[in-house]
Amino acid sequence: MAVVVALVVVALGVVGWVRARSGPESRLSAAMALAPRTAVRFSWTDWSAVRAKLGVSEAEATDHVGAFLSQAFDADLSSTSALDDSAPTLAAKLGVSPANLSWELYAQGTDGAVVVMGLPDDVTPAELRVTLGRVGYTDPGTDDGVWQVGSGGLSSIGNLTPELTNLTIDAGHHVLAASDSAAFLRDWRGNERGTGDDSAVASVATSLGDAVSAAAYDGGYACQALAMNQADPADAAEGARLIAEAGKINPLDAFAMGYSPDGSVQVRMLFENPEQARTNATTRATLAVGPAPGQGGSFTDRYRLVRTTADKDLVSMTLQPVPGSYVLSDLDAGPLLFASC
């Protein structure tokens, strides 16, 4: 252990070993409790935190939705949203959009996807039901039923993503949920992960703390979506060479990446046991400061690796983005060498 630590510190000057996990439940982990148990990919946007980060009020964002989203994009804080293209229509027709939503979680699995939206405090479920009926959704006749778009289709309402074809209101949690599948949305409440979720992906998401925007994947999805076999043959070969030089790697049990309120990007990788975490902290820190095949150029063109730590089975990285870089949107798109399996 002493040899491993010494080698890493001497080689990179950024690795230490700590024993600290995140504290109280974050808004992200609370939102994930409402996601389906079958979800394997989570895309989180804390819209209230985005507005605060940009110094934009709800009123200003609502009056100038396009300008607000442009600012959020330039700050690399909106790439995880499923609603950005629909925002102008949502704001004008439904009165709820990224301009005033509290937060948004897009959860995807092999059997369906759902967008869960934290409603503004000043929008009541009763008011929203009236609005949905007025703009063209069909009233299900029950408070917890699924509102389906009418015969005119989404285009009769405006420019909306297919995920907004079906809507349901959860008054107890003060959220609006949407899906392109009415059947999937009907089963949503009975299929939630719940607050007792102790899965690998829930663990890495919780460890991000109060993320402004984030992506979290379970191990199987991460190893597929971020794998170097997504790259062209030349980049894949270069990636294999770099991994062989860096040392041993193990498959991920889960992966997460997100912007913190302080502007840093936090990366989390969960492994089967502490021994794998210690080994992979060294290897992946080496990969994270080298060439970026599949992404182009070098990772150091995008960020400075501040530290890498191993806490039991969890490896954490802190990245400081280079001004003008798009760290989350770039690295979330794969392939990602230091997240290889």
Side-chain angles (χ1 to χ4, degrees):
M1 177 63 182
V3 173
V4 171
V5 174
L7 286 174
V8 175
V9 172
V10 169
L12 300 174
V14 294
V15 180
W17 311 110
V18 296
R19 294 287 175 184
R21 290 283 178 101
S22 63
E25 183 182 55
S26 66
R27 285 158 61 87
L28 169 55
S29 58
M32 283 186 64
L34 303 178
R37 285 190 293 270
T38 53
V40 297
R41 175 181 182 177
F42 302 85
S43 301
W44 163 257
T45 313
D46 186 333
W47 286 113
S48 63
V50 172
R51 292 190 295 270
K53 188 78 174 172
L54 299 176
V56 178
S57 69
E58 282 189 20
E60 291 170 329
T62 301
D63 290 342
H64 307 283
V65 178
F68 165 64
L69 290 176
S70 180
Q71 283 183 270
F73 176 83
D74 290 343
D76 196 27
L77 297 176
S78 63
S79 65
T80 50
S81 175
L83 302 175
D84 50 351
D85 290 340
S86 305
T89 298
L90 286 171
K93 298 295 184 66
L94 271 66
V96 293
S97 75
N100 64 346
L101 285 173
S102 180
W103 51 265
E104 169 199 343
L105 180 69
Y106 185 31
Q108 300 165 274
T110 56
D111 58 342
V114 62
V115 185
V116 187
M117 296 162 269
L119 291 170
D121 291 339
D122 59 355
V123 173
T124 69
E127 292 170 336
L128 187 54
R129 292 186 189 101
V130 171
T131 300
L132 293 179
R134 186 176 67 247
V135 301
Y137 285 90
T138 301
D139 191 338
T142 59
D143 288 349
D144 60 355
V146 174
W147 292 75
Q148 296 178 265
V149 71
S151 57
L154 286 174
S155 60
S156 66
I157 302 174
N159 181 25
L160 295 175
T161 178
E163 280 78 14
L164 296 168
T165 302
N166 307 283
L167 305 173
T168 189
I169 302 168
D170 183 337
H173 292 101
H174 201 61
V175 300
L176 175 67
S179 176
D180 58 359
S181 167
F184 187 77
L185 197 57
R186 288 191 187 98
D187 295 337
W188 163 62
R189 284 181 176 84
N191 192 35
E192 291 173 0
R193 304 176 78 88
T195 55
D197 180 19
D198 60 355
S199 64
V201 69
S203 176
V204 294
T206 298
S207 71
L208 287 176
D210 292 319
V212 179
S213 59
Y217 305 153
D218 84 348
Y221 185 86
C223 290
Q224 172 189 351
L226 302 179
M228 284 306 297
N229 61 19
Q230 301 270 348
D232 64 41
D235 286 337
E238 174 68 359
R241 183 187 68 80
L242 292 167
I243 290 172
E245 291 179 355
K248 183 178 180 180
I249 63 170
N250 299 99
L252 303 169
D253 280 0
F255 175 88
M257 178 184 299
Y259 269 102
S260 292
D262 65 5
S264 66
V265 172
Q266 299 295 323
V267 178
R268 302 289 185 266
M269 291 175 277
L270 192 69
F271 295 92
E272 185 176 332
N273 54 55
E275 181 181 358
Q276 287 188 6
R278 291 192 295 270
T279 298
N280 282 265
T282 305
T283 307
R284 294 174 190 274
T286 301
L287 296 171
V289 295
Q295 296 276 343
S298 171
F299 286 120
T300 54
D301 298 332
R302 297 169 170 83
Y303 59 77
R304 178 174 61 90
L305 178 58
V306 178
R307 69 179 63 87
T308 301
T309 62
D311 172 16
K312 298 180 182 176
D313 50 4
L314 183 71
V315 171
S316 301
M317 291 181 174
T318 298
L319 315 178
Q320 189 60 50
V322 171
S325 63
Y326 292 81
V327 174
L328 183 57
S329 54
D330 276 358
L331 303 190
D332 178 41
L336 185 56
L337 183 63
F338 66 77
S340 298
C341 290

